[in-house]
């Protein structure tokens, strides 16, 4: 049984959850937060790029994840300001 959000694969889901954990913005156990993070991630990092990501060195993956975390967090904060997202983001 697939427990991941629709349209999400295991690596994409893990990357989205990781971005929420790394940013300390939002409840990583709230599926709405993960869905929002996944949508934000997919807007800046299409699934077609996953194979290139997997082939990166550990250091390059870490750098890429840090950048993606910042982008996803920024998108979620922007959405909160617009009143169109930002689930469980504290004011």
């Amino acid at each position: 049984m697939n427990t991941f959000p629709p349209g999400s694969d295991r690596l994409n889901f893990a990357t989205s959850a990781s971005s929420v954990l790394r940013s300390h913005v939002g409840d990583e156990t709230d599926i709405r937060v993960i869905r929002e993070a996944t949508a934000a991630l997919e807007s800046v990092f299409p699934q077609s790029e996953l194979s290139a990501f997997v082939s990166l060195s550990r250091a390059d993956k870490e750098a890429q994840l840090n950048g993606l975390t910042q982008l996803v967090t920024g998108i979620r904060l922007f959405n909160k300001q617009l009143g169109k997202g930002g689930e469980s983001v504290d004011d």
Side-chain angles (χ1 to χ4, degrees):
M1 181 174 135
N2 186 358
T3 59
F4 305 111
S8 176
D9 65 18
R10 200 174 298 251
L11 180 58
N12 199 18
F13 181 80
T15 305
S16 297
S18 173
S19 74
V20 173
L21 284 168
R22 289 167 167 259
S23 70
H24 305 286
V25 177
D27 179 1
E28 71 277 358
T29 64
D30 184 339
I31 193 65
R32 297 171 304 163
V33 171
I34 299 302
R35 284 184 179 139
E36 182 182 14
T38 300
L41 177 65
E42 289 176 349
S43 74
V44 296
F45 188 73
Q47 287 191 357
S48 60
E49 297 295 320
L50 285 175
S51 60
F53 174 79
V54 170
S55 67
L56 293 174
S57 70
R58 182 179 177 100
D60 288 341
K61 283 179 190 169
E62 185 71 27
Q64 183 84 15
L65 280 175
N66 287 336
L68 290 170
T69 296
Q70 292 175 354
L71 287 169
V72 168
T73 302
I75 290 168
R76 294 190 61 237
L77 292 171
F78 181 74
N79 288 343
K80 175 141 178 94
Q81 282 298 119
L82 293 178
K84 297 184 177 186
E87 294 294 334
S88 78
V89 172
D90 295 331
D91 287 331

